[in-house]
Amino acid sequence: TSVFASLDISGDIDVDGTTNLDVVDIDGALTQDGGAVFNEASADVDFRIESNGNANMLFVDGGTNSVSIGTGALPTLGTLVVQQTADSKGIAVVDSAAANTFFIENQGDEVKLRVNAASPITFLQNSTERFRIASDGSLSTPTAGTSNVRFGVNAGNSIASGGNFNVVVGDEAGTTINT
């Protein structure tokens, strides 16, 4: 038997088991104990979460298998798209103590990689450091002795003596290289 009516309930509803509802409108808080699966049947439908000032704070595009933060569907840009607003700082990666934060920002025609502490930015390949931007702004490769390059303040300080094929450019470029 089908019932075609609406039901207004004030108070709590406790559902044990499976409930099949076509549309649910909740005016208030939803509390969920346990797991939750959305779109288990793999339908081409979208899922979004609104914030106070953004209708698409989190947007999952069911048709393109992409996730957007801060914007609606932008499937041609990638699997994860973060749109920065005028007053945001882009993407922030924070360590557990919140002492060091790495930012990726897009400001008009300029993309910025930024840290908020006097820490270097290092580039690694298979857990091996390949390139470093030091807190003083100097650029270097980290290998000891041979095939190094360093640009900037006290350029030669990071290169061990006795090596070959070292290149240094900038302030005090040759300091401590004795090959």
Side-chain angles (χ1 to χ4, degrees), residues 50-151:
E50 294 186 14
S51 67
N52 188 35
N54 191 328
N56 294 300
M57 196 68 238
L58 179 65
F59 185 88
V60 177
D61 188 315
T64 62
N65 300 315
S66 62
V67 177
S68 300
I69 299 173
T71 186
L74 296 170
T76 60
L77 294 178
T79 302
L80 175 64
V81 176
V82 178
Q83 182 169 336
Q84 181 176 328
T85 60
D87 59 345
S88 73
K89 300 243 186 284
I91 299 172
V93 179
V94 182
D95 71 0
S96 61
N100 292 309
T101 304
F102 177 75
F103 295 97
I104 302 171
E105 302 173 356
N106 184 353
Q107 296 180 345
D109 61 349
E110 183 177 27
V111 174
K112 293 182 178 182
L113 303 178
R114 179 173 65 88
V115 293
N116 71 338
S119 301
I121 298 174
T122 57
F123 296 84
L124 292 89
Q125 178 187 33
N126 296 325
S127 301
T128 301
E129 184 178 329
R130 300 296 185 192
F131 190 73
R132 172 180 292 250
I133 303 173
S135 60
D136 65 4
S138 60
L139 311 172
S140 63
T141 57
T143 57
T146 58
S147 302
N148 289 285
V149 63
R150 180 166 165 112
F151 301 92

Side-chain angles (χ1 to χ4, degrees), residues 8-74:
D8 289 327
I9 298 174
S10 62
D12 296 337
I13 298 176
D14 186 6
V15 177
D16 291 327
T18 302
T19 302
N20 186 4
L21 304 170
D22 292 330
V23 176
V24 177
D25 184 2
I26 299 172
D27 296 326
L30 170 66
T31 302
Q32 162 63 17
D33 294 331
V37 176
F38 295 90
N39 197 17
E40 188 167 32
S42 191
D44 184 358
V45 294
D46 302 330
F47 174 81
R48 69 184 175 89
I49 298 175
E50 294 186 14
S51 67
N52 188 35
N54 191 328
N56 294 300
M57 196 68 238
L58 179 65
F59 185 88
V60 177
D61 188 315
T64 62
N65 300 315
S66 62
V67 177
S68 300
I69 299 173
T71 186
L74 296 170

